[in-house]
Amino acid sequence: MSIALVILAAGQGTRMNSDLPKVLHPLGGAPLFAHALATGASLEPERTILVTGHGAEAVAGAARAIDPDIEIVEQAEQLGTAHAVLQARPLLEGFEGDVVVLYGDTPFVRPETLQAMAEARATHDVVVLGFEAADPGRYGRLAMSGNTLDRIIEFKDATPEERRITFCNSGIKMASAATMLALLDEVGNDNAAGEYYLTDIVALARAKGLSATAVTCDEAETLGINTRPELAAAEAAFQARARLEALENGTTLLAPETVWFALGTHLGRDVVVEPNVVFGPGVTVETGARIRAFSHLEGAHVGAGAIVGPYARLRPGAEISNDAHIGNFVEIKNAEIGEGAKVNHLSYVGDASVGAATNIGAGTITCNYDGVMKHRTEIGAHAFIGSDTMLVAPVKVGDRAMTATGTVVTRDIPEGALAIGRAEMLVKPGLAQKLFDKLKAAKAARQKGK
Ligand code: UD1
Ligand code: MG
């Protein structure tokens, strides 16, 4: 069955009290709506449609950065959830598959739950995701007759008796595109809010003799974000879930509660993560690698058996090959570090490539930025870069070449050559003692004068 996802993200999020559209607030290092996008992606949709409204341009930009193929429609005025889905009509017309409506502010729905909805679609025309609410509050209520969903009653329109129902609407719905569009056309706005309710499609479907049912999920999955305290609570929930998943997938976390994850952090089997490590967006760590304490990684790939940290920083484009070592106070940006290479102490390697088994000495800097442009440094395999080498890019160092400590490299170094560039050292016998005596005498004279 081909799927079109429609993600609703037009709302302002007034209660966030923010200039930033609600769905752009970060959760797990990604904009809020990206979580619904990731869950929806598990259905392998043919089309993904995002409905924007408030902050449309910013939301569209963020969405295209995540998925260049995403289709975006704008809902200029927020007249209700049914009206929002209808904005996608031109894209859904003639689509021979199912439409799944997700909310951009509801990040925790699991792929398995969407799968269960897809299965229920085999026997029902309209499928709604519901949950038993501990406190049903203002949620829409699901009126069931056995396994059949009769209608959804919005809180504002519900009678006191209907408000006693605790089985609630998550908002997520699934139907064929043809059914969805036909039903949406009939939705009116004659209700307490004066809005076009997506929830009305259930009663309309039933009136036409179509079948509707609800799939149940855990309330935690349907948690929506409306306020900053809710966002903070959601971050804690996201982190707890990510830690548990990592542990279950075979990663060792020595102090799980101190490790910070992002949406899409991927840690392989038998990876060991020491305390106080932060994974920003886009990190993959391969099997058996060790991330030592107090390291910060984003946009980085760490190969099998590599060791990173303690106190290392991997920035976007850091490609650490198998068995390489990145040590304390080392920063790597947009650079490949070859297999078994070592950058162990106090170095900056940026816009560079370092060949296999090369050793980068303490305090080495790739001087990649001239104040206007960035330049590359290419270092071959089995090379030895002496401590405190400054590599003034663009520059190349050949295989098995060597630089002497303190060298400022301003020209290419051929394979197997040694580069040494530093002032010659002089030794003056007895001069230190003379200098000390002179300085002490000057200090004594100054104190006497006070
Ligand atoms: C909705 C459901 C309610 C359900 C609840 C679950 C309706 C009528 N009600 O209510 O049954 O229990 O969600 O959280 O659907 N949006 C748009 N354009 C609009 C209106 C909303 O894009 O014109 C988006 C919002 O940005 C949000 C989502 O749709 O992502 C839900 O809208 P919201 O206003 O939060 O609906 P609720 O009143 O919470
Ligand atoms: Mg809501």
Side-chain angles (χ1 to χ4, degrees):
M1 170 66 73
S2 44
I3 300 279
L5 291 180
V6 176
I7 301 177
L8 304 190
Q12 180 170 20
T14 316
R15 286 184 288 154
M16 291 298 281
N17 201 5
S18 173
D19 291 336
L20 194 65
K22 176 164 78 176
V23 291
L24 290 187
H25 279 261
L27 175 71
L32 189 49
F33 75 88
H35 293 256
L37 205 60
T39 307
S42 70
L43 291 173
E44 297 177 8
E46 208 158 284
R47 320 184 64 155
T48 302
I49 302 164
L50 186 70
V51 181
T52 62
H54 282 277
E57 235 169 88
V59 174
R64 291 201 179 95
I66 293 168
D67 175 3
D69 296 329
I70 200 162
E71 300 176 274
I72 295 169
V73 294
E74 197 175 329
Q75 184 192 24
E77 255 188 301
Q78 280 73 61
L79 303 179
T81 43
H83 179 256
V85 179
L86 265 180
Q87 305 312 300
R89 170 184 268 294
L91 302 178
L92 294 175
E93 206 100 56
F95 182 76
E96 289 184 7
D98 269 15
V99 175
V100 180
V101 179
L102 301 175
Y103 287 178
D105 64 355
T106 304
F108 292 127
V109 180
R110 293 178 315 136
E112 294 83 344
T113 300
L114 294 186
Q115 205 53 55
M117 289 182 72
E119 279 158 30
R121 263 284 294 132
T123 47
H124 292 84
D125 297 303
V126 176
V127 178
V128 170
L129 182 63
F131 62 101
E132 270 303 328
D135 169 13
R138 303 183 64 82
Y139 286 118
R141 308 298 207 263
L142 300 186
M144 304 291 295
S145 309
N147 196 30
T148 292
L149 176 59
D150 291 326
R151 61 197 190 105
I152 307 179
I153 312 132
E154 284 305 289
F155 176 80
K156 280 186 186 170
D157 303 290
T159 63
E161 195 178 328
E162 287 165 338
R163 286 181 183 180
R164 277 198 288 276
I165 299 175
T166 54
F167 192 37
C168 291
N169 174 30
S170 71
I172 296 176
K173 292 178 185 62
M174 190 165 181
S176 76
T179 301
M180 181 72 83
L181 290 176
L183 295 173
L184 283 173
D185 280 340
E186 293 183 28
V187 172
N189 66 348
D190 181 17
N191 53 53
E195 283 184 14
Y196 295 88
Y197 292 159
L198 176 59
T199 45
D200 281 354
I201 66 167
V202 172
L204 290 167
R206 299 284 290 121
K208 280 181 179 318
L210 299 175
S211 62
T213 193
V215 163
T216 308
C217 73
D218 202 89
E219 183 170 7
E221 287 188 52
T222 69
L223 182 80
I225 313 294
N226 298 296
T227 64
R228 296 202 197 227
E230 282 170 9
L231 182 62
E235 184 69 50
F238 171 85
Q239 295 299 337
R241 199 200 258 201
R243 288 165 191 144
L244 189 61
E245 261 172 38
L247 292 167
E248 284 174 351
N249 289 341
T251 298
T252 296
L253 306 178
L254 295 185
E257 66 286 359
T258 68
V259 178
W260 212 252
F261 287 83
L263 178 66
T265 302
H266 181 81
L267 305 182
R269 206 176 154 87
D270 293 318
V271 165
V272 176
V273 182
E274 295 184 5
N276 297 298
V277 169
V278 175
F279 294 104
V283 176
T284 296
V285 181
E286 304 289 352
T287 178
R290 189 176 187 99
I291 311 299
R292 304 200 58 197
F294 297 100
S295 294
H296 189 286
L297 298 81
E298 57 186 318
H301 178 249
V302 178
I307 300 174
V308 173
Y311 298 99
R313 177 162 186 216
L314 302 186
R315 291 174 52 204
E319 172 69 47
I320 313 302
S321 303
N322 296 354
D323 302 314
H325 290 187
I326 307 299
N328 43 272
F329 307 107
V330 169
E331 175 179 344
I332 311 280
K333 184 214 76 170
N334 187 30
E336 305 103 51
I337 308 299
E339 197 165 326
K342 290 177 183 165
V343 191
N344 269 336
H345 328 272
L346 301 151
S347 291
Y348 171 63
V349 180
D351 301 315
S353 61
V354 173
T358 282
N359 188 89
I360 306 287
T364 293
I365 307 284
T366 54
C367 311
N368 60 327
Y369 186 46
D370 58 16
V372 179
M373 287 186 296
K374 302 279 173 68
H375 303 281
R376 279 190 70 79
T377 299
E378 288 172 27
I379 302 171
H382 297 274
F384 181 89
I385 304 300
S387 295
D388 192 33
T389 295
M390 299 293 124
L391 296 141
V392 183
V395 75
K396 288 183 184 161
V397 178
D399 292 344
R400 291 175 300 282
M402 190 184 258
T403 70
T405 295
T407 296
V408 178
V409 179
T410 52
R411 278 177 288 141
D412 290 353
I413 306 171
E415 199 179 305
L418 167 76
I420 176 163
R422 59 192 185 208
E424 201 174 333
M425 191 181 90
L426 303 175
V427 178
K428 308 275 189 184
L431 191 57
Q433 196 54 57
K434 271 192 202 160
L435 257 176
F436 278 135
D437 291 346
K438 203 171 150 185
L439 292 170
K440 281 175 188 162
K443 188 179 179 186
R446 190 189 290 179
Q447 278 168 346
K448 217 173 176 184
K450 274 190 183 160

